Amino acid sequence: MLFEQFSFDPRIIAGIKTAGYTNPTPIQQQAIPVVLKKRDILGLAQTGTGKTAAFMLPILQLLNIHPTRQIRALIIVPTRELAEQIHQTTIVLGKNTHVRSATIYGGVSKGPQLESLRRGVDIIVACPGRLLDLLNSNAIDLSHVEVLVLDEADHMCDMGFLPDIRRILKRVPVQRQTLFFAATMPDEIRSLAESILHNPVTVQIGVIAPTKTVSHALYPVSQLLKTALVTALLRQLNSDRVLIFTRTKHRARSLAHKLELEGFRTSALQGNMSQNQRQGALDGFRKGKYDILVATDIAARGIDVSDITHVINFDMPDTVDAYIHRIGRTGRAQATGKAFTFCVPEDGGMIHDIEKVLGARIEREHLPGFNYTTRTSESQSQQNRPNQPRQFYSNSGRDRSGNPKAHATKVKTIQPVR
Ligand code: AMP
């Protein structure tokens, strides 16, 4: 299937060529004709599927007929990085059109955003907080919006933006086209979608099943050996495109620092950094100044860096959804990628859930040549953290076969000796 079949304006075809796309991805094949017909969409798709162009190409086509410099398309997204990314894609795809796009998000000064609004734009890519702020001060007029896109709606709800979104929705015309995208559809999201969509066409790409082009592996390891293991693994991989996820901002910063000391060109990407620092880290990774980016889930949401060869989950994600989103950073747009996940004994439940969603067991791997015995698991980590209570299975809590009795799982908590 070719892009030509959509009868796009030649200027949009030129933008597609500039972006380097040859064939539409499955979500583009499904969504583009629907958007062009001005129908609402309920899209179940994760990032990495070509979702941005799936809605932006037809929007550009619809707006380019008469660019008015009034906001006629509003794209609402959860993070600044995603807003910036969609804006950049719009610039590339719309390069030969007269359509103008701008971003609205917090953490940076309002001046330039107000200036682009004053000059007039056709498309706004916005995060809810700053958008609402500008709406409340009457600095932005959404009364001409014809197409509203809610992208990564499930993440916006996770991040607590639902009330803001409801307020924003009151300020856009009821008569409009709405494109609603989410990777998952919990009840809260489904009812939001049902309340704002009008007779939508459902477009569905790999809802839960993570990108097929990614191979997965688990690396059982103790907490204390994780840094040593990731260092050894990175040496063996010798890759210049690795994204590592940690559970907290502090761990992202500290691991990035340790890897830098080991000689890896590394940067962190976490929420405590200023917008400029975050952009610097992302640009540095994109342009090859850094080979490794250590990020938290929120900071990395929606980032689009092509050719990520490996995603390493230094810490197990908290939800299956987070796992899918993390590994969605690799194996994008038909390339292949690898997802390595470090796991400690407590991660058993989450592994079970992830394997259920994947529909397959994930291989347990041991890194050849790595000394797993230098410091063994919990005992050593407890010795190094003397204030932590130690937990044991008591023999009396087990039946004759050694299995835990129904009433007794973790039974004894031994306070450390000071
Ligand atoms: P997205 O899901 O919009 O974040 O897109 C994921 C990646 O796929 C981005 O790097 C896009 O530039 C790329 N992409 C989108 N559409 C196509 C296409 N038709 N052919 C090749 N790459 C594409």
Side-chain angles (χ1 to χ4, degrees), residues 3 27 41 72 94 108 133 241 245 252 269 309 363 393 412:
F3 278 107
I27 193 167
I41 282 190
R72 289 164 64 206
V108 291
D133 187 6
R241 272 281 194 266
F245 283 96
L269 182 71
T309 54
E363 284 308 316
Y393 284 105
K412 257 194 190 168

Side-chain angles (χ1 to χ4, degrees), residues 232-248:
L233 192 58
L234 288 169
R235 291 229 157 84
Q236 291 198 9
L237 293 178
N238 198 18
S239 164
D240 57 3
R241 272 281 194 266
V242 185
L243 181 56
I244 303 179
F245 283 96
T246 62
R247 187 170 289 137
T248 65

Side-chain angles (χ1 to χ4, degrees), residues 149-165:
V149 181
L150 291 177
D151 196 12
E152 299 203 354
D154 45 347
H155 285 148
M156 292 202 268
C157 289
D158 288 349
M159 292 167 79
F161 284 137
L162 194 53
D164 284 0
I165 289 171

Side-chain angles (χ1 to χ4, degrees), residues 27-38:
I27 193 167
Q28 291 162 4
Q29 290 172 29
Q30 286 188 40
I32 291 173
V34 179
V35 184
L36 287 173
K37 278 193 208 128
K38 304 204 175 186

Side-chain angles (χ1 to χ4, degrees), residues 220-238:
V221 64
S222 71
Q223 200 60 260
L224 261 195
L225 282 181
K226 280 185 173 181
T227 305
L229 182 64
V230 81
T231 310
L233 192 58
L234 288 169
R235 291 229 157 84
Q236 291 198 9
L237 293 178
N238 198 18

Side-chain angles (χ1 to χ4, degrees), residues 3 21 23-25 28 47-52 304 332-333:
F3 278 107
Y21 308 162
N23 300 309
T25 64
Q28 291 162 4
T47 46
T49 52
K51 183 161 46 87
T52 311
D304 177 22
R332 298 191 113 187

